[in-house]
Amino acid sequence: MDLEFDVRPYLVSVSDMEFFEEDAEQAADHLNGMLYAIHKETAHGGFWTHEKIEQLVIEISDLWLREPGLLESDPDELEDYITHLVQRIEQDAESDDSTEVLDEG
C-alpha cells in the first residue's frame, strides 16, 4: 500500500509568487489551499495513487502559478474547483474503464 501523499514539499512560499507582487502572500495562501484541497479530495484512495496525486498537484501548481484568477476567487471557490476537478477526473477514468470493457466484449 502507498504511503499517504505528503503535500508539504509542493506548497509555495510568498517568494514563489513574485508574479503577484504585493498580493504574493494572498496568492500563496490560495494556491496552497488548492493543494491541500487536492490532498483532502484524493485521500480516499482507490483511483488515486501517489503518482496520480503528484501529477495533479504539479499540474495545478503550474497552471495557477501566474493565474490572475487566483486572487479574484475566494478560497471556497478554489476548493470547489478542486473538488469538481477531482470528481471529473474520477468519472472520466470510470468511463474509460467501462468503455474498455465494452470494447473487449
Side-chain angles (χ1 to χ4, degrees), residues 43-59:
H44 55 79
F47 170 78
W48 292 102
T49 63
H50 188 278
E51 291 76 20
K52 288 178 182 175
I53 298 169
E54 181 178 41
Q55 180 183 0
L56 181 59
V57 164
I58 291 169
E59 288 177 10

Side-chain angles (χ1 to χ4, degrees), residues 35-74:
L35 300 181
Y36 276 117
I38 290 171
H39 182 260
K40 183 180 86 177
E41 291 297 321
T42 59
H44 55 79
F47 170 78
W48 292 102
T49 63
H50 188 278
E51 291 76 20
K52 288 178 182 175
I53 298 169
E54 181 178 41
Q55 180 183 0
L56 181 59
V57 164
I58 291 169
E59 288 177 10
I60 288 296
S61 297
D62 290 347
L63 182 67
W64 286 85
L65 206 52
R66 300 190 189 290
E67 172 55 54
L70 195 57
L71 296 176
E72 297 164 3
S73 303
D74 69 38

Side-chain angles (χ1 to χ4, degrees), residues 41 47-48 56 59-60 63 80-96:
E41 291 297 321
F47 170 78
W48 292 102
L56 181 59
E59 288 177 10
I60 288 296
L63 182 67
D80 286 345
Y81 167 79
I82 294 298
T83 300
H84 295 321
L85 177 63
V86 167
Q87 289 172 351
R88 190 174 75 233
I89 291 169
E90 290 172 353
Q91 289 170 350
D92 289 350
E94 287 175 13
S95 295
D96 290 346

Side-chain angles (χ1 to χ4, degrees), residues 10-36:
Y10 301 93
L11 298 177
V12 296
S13 67
V14 172
S15 63
D16 295 324
M17 305 303 281
E18 291 174 348
F19 172 81
F20 293 97
E21 298 172 354
E22 67 274 355
D23 295 319
E25 184 173 355
Q26 179 185 358
D29 288 345
H30 284 191
L31 183 52
N32 287 338
M34 293 172 75
L35 300 181
Y36 276 117

